[in-house]
Amino acid sequence: MSAAPQLVVPEGLCHILSLDGGGAKGFYTLGVLAQIEAVLKGKPLSEHFNLIFGTSTGAIIAALLSLGYKVADIHKLYKEHVPTVMKNKSPAGRTAALDKLVTEVFGDKDFSQVRTHVGIVATHWNLEKPMIFKTSHEQAHGTKDSFIPGFGCKIAQAVRASCSAFPYFGRIKLTTGQGVDVELFDGGYCANNPTLYAIADAVKAFKKTYADLRVVSIGVGEYPEPKHFNPKSLAEWLVKGCLGFTGLQLLQKTLSVNTASMEQLRLVLFKEIQAVRINDTFKQPEMATDLLEADLEKLKLLYQRGWESFGQHEKAFKALLA
């Protein structure tokens, strides 16, 4: 069982970073973050943000940032591993590749090793509610005495759970530090945009006022759907279309609706909180992509678009630093 990390609730302002889910489209997120890191003079983002929340691909990035990784190092990992994971044609193949990835990248690290407060969003399969892996007892909303960082799980397990975009990736079964068996899947089903959960921690757990908060929320961009195949027979449509492309379209739509609704609620409920949301829309046909994108050249383009997107929001971001 991991010991609680030696983190404290920040005095004064609380800087929050929230990272959406979106599979391979996380390259866009990294492009934005590279620019943010540059504005912060190369300082690791774990030294600036007091609370980092992430869902799915955002969970991978959030976990690595919380461990002190620089954005360039995360980008290198994504270029090396994401195409390998996504090129698999079966859920079993993708799941095995994802298992290998999180094991290689995070190893045996646990939540006692992070450098800032973090939240990794997953979804409980049986209870049908969020299960959020957190860092320290200050983030607990219930009984703090029974709180265990990351539920006693390794960071690799938490990230793997958050990234389990069922049915395109298999669910994961874990045993918590309290001996409870749980089955989890992708956090995007409950909060693909985890900003509201991060605000809840800051206000209800950290006891911060709205005036204390500075929020940066980053999406994965919005793109046209890739062209779908033309089935030659009803059997081919049933096997590849209905169960394949149509299912992926439904998953994409589910995550998009979730993302937009969470952002709309933030704007309605917390419009007085100073925040910047970066999640631009691209309508050009060449930008067509989805969360299972495996073409490295397309992924490099998403990174570049994220890099460019920051320019549209740079003034607002710098205002948060003032």
Side-chain angles (χ1 to χ4, degrees), residues 10-132:
E11 296 183 3
L13 297 180
C14 179
H15 293 88
I16 296 172
L17 178 62
S18 174
L19 306 176
D20 287 12
K25 293 182 289 184
F27 272 81
Y28 173 90
T29 308
L30 290 172
V32 176
L33 291 173
Q35 290 283 53
I36 289 176
E37 191 177 75
V39 171
L40 296 174
K41 309 302 181 185
K43 180 170 67 173
L45 298 188
S46 60
E47 295 181 13
H48 177 77
F49 290 99
N50 310 110
L51 183 61
I52 304 178
F53 261 64
T55 298
S56 198
T57 193
I60 299 176
I61 299 170
L64 290 170
L65 290 177
S66 75
L67 289 167
Y69 277 66
K70 301 293 288 293
V71 176
D73 295 326
I74 303 174
H75 185 212
K76 181 179 179 180
L77 288 172
Y78 263 56
K79 288 187 291 184
E80 179 181 355
H81 292 286
V82 170
T84 301
V85 172
M86 297 307 184
K87 73 181 180 181
N88 287 277
K89 301 301 182 183
S90 69
R94 285 189 291 268
T95 300
L98 178 60
D99 285 337
K100 181 180 179 182
L101 166 61
V102 297
T103 299
E104 289 182 359
V105 171
F106 294 101
D108 203 41
K109 292 184 175 64
D110 59 39
F111 285 82
S112 69
Q113 295 171 267
V114 300
R115 302 181 183 185
T116 191
H117 297 278
V118 69
I120 303 299
V121 182
T123 305
H124 199 297
W125 177 257
N126 293 314
L127 298 182
E128 299 176 347
K129 68 178 186 178
M131 182 168 173
I132 305 177

Side-chain angles (χ1 to χ4, degrees), residues 34-286:
Q35 290 283 53
I36 289 176
E37 191 177 75
V39 171
L40 296 174
K41 309 302 181 185
K43 180 170 67 173
L45 298 188
S46 60
E47 295 181 13
H48 177 77
F49 290 99
N50 310 110
L51 183 61
I52 304 178
F53 261 64
T55 298
S56 198
T57 193
I60 299 176
I61 299 170
L64 290 170
L65 290 177
S66 75
L67 289 167
Y69 277 66
K70 301 293 288 293
V71 176
D73 295 326
I74 303 174
H75 185 212
K76 181 179 179 180
L77 288 172
Y78 263 56
K79 288 187 291 184
E80 179 181 355
H81 292 286
V82 170
T84 301
V85 172
M86 297 307 184
K87 73 181 180 181
N88 287 277
K89 301 301 182 183
S90 69
R94 285 189 291 268
T95 300
L98 178 60
D99 285 337
K100 181 180 179 182
L101 166 61
V102 297
T103 299
E104 289 182 359
V105 171
F106 294 101
D108 203 41
K109 292 184 175 64
D110 59 39
F111 285 82
S112 69
Q113 295 171 267
V114 300
R115 302 181 183 185
T116 191
H117 297 278
V118 69
I120 303 299
V121 182
T123 305
H124 199 297
W125 177 257
N126 293 314
L127 298 182
E128 299 176 347
K129 68 178 186 178
M131 182 168 173
I132 305 177
F133 296 81
K134 299 182 181 182
T135 309
S136 61
H137 73 277
E138 285 87 358
Q139 289 174 268
H141 294 278
T143 303
K144 296 182 182 293
D145 292 337
S146 61
F147 178 87
I148 302 175
F151 297 103
C153 297
K154 302 298 183 182
I155 293 178
Q157 294 174 306
V159 168
R160 165 68 172 82
S162 185
C163 293
S164 301
F166 184 80
Y168 295 91
F169 290 86
R171 305 188 297 273
I172 183 173
K173 294 181 179 180
L174 302 176
T175 300
T176 70
Q178 294 175 324
V180 178
D181 294 329
V182 295
E183 186 171 6
L184 306 173
F185 67 123
D186 199 283
Y189 283 98
C190 61
N192 201 54
N193 171 357
T195 306
L196 292 182
Y197 288 126
I199 290 174
D201 268 19
V203 174
K204 297 297 184 181
F206 289 176
K207 307 301 182 185
K208 293 294 180 180
T209 67
Y210 293 167
D212 291 329
L213 304 189
R214 301 292 185 271
V215 179
V216 179
S217 175
I218 304 175
V220 295
E222 298 180 8
Y223 311 92
E225 292 183 5
K227 292 182 178 179
H228 302 303
F229 79 115
N230 294 315
K232 298 179 181 179
S233 67
L234 176 61
E236 184 179 7
W237 182 84
L238 288 172
V239 173
K240 294 184 179 180
C242 182
L243 300 180
F245 291 104
T246 303
L248 183 56
Q249 284 180 291
L250 178 59
L251 175 58
Q252 290 271 158
K253 185 67 69 175
T254 299
L255 298 181
S256 295
V257 170
N258 181 293
T259 298
S261 63
M262 296 290 275
E263 176 61 9
Q264 185 173 6
L265 280 173
R266 181 189 70 80
L267 292 172
V268 171
L269 296 175
F270 304 111
K271 61 182 178 181
E272 62 269 57
I273 293 177
Q274 294 190 46
V276 175
R277 171 73 174 168
I278 304 177
N279 187 48
D280 290 345
T281 298
F282 303 93
K283 297 182 178 180
Q284 303 92 329
E286 65 270 19

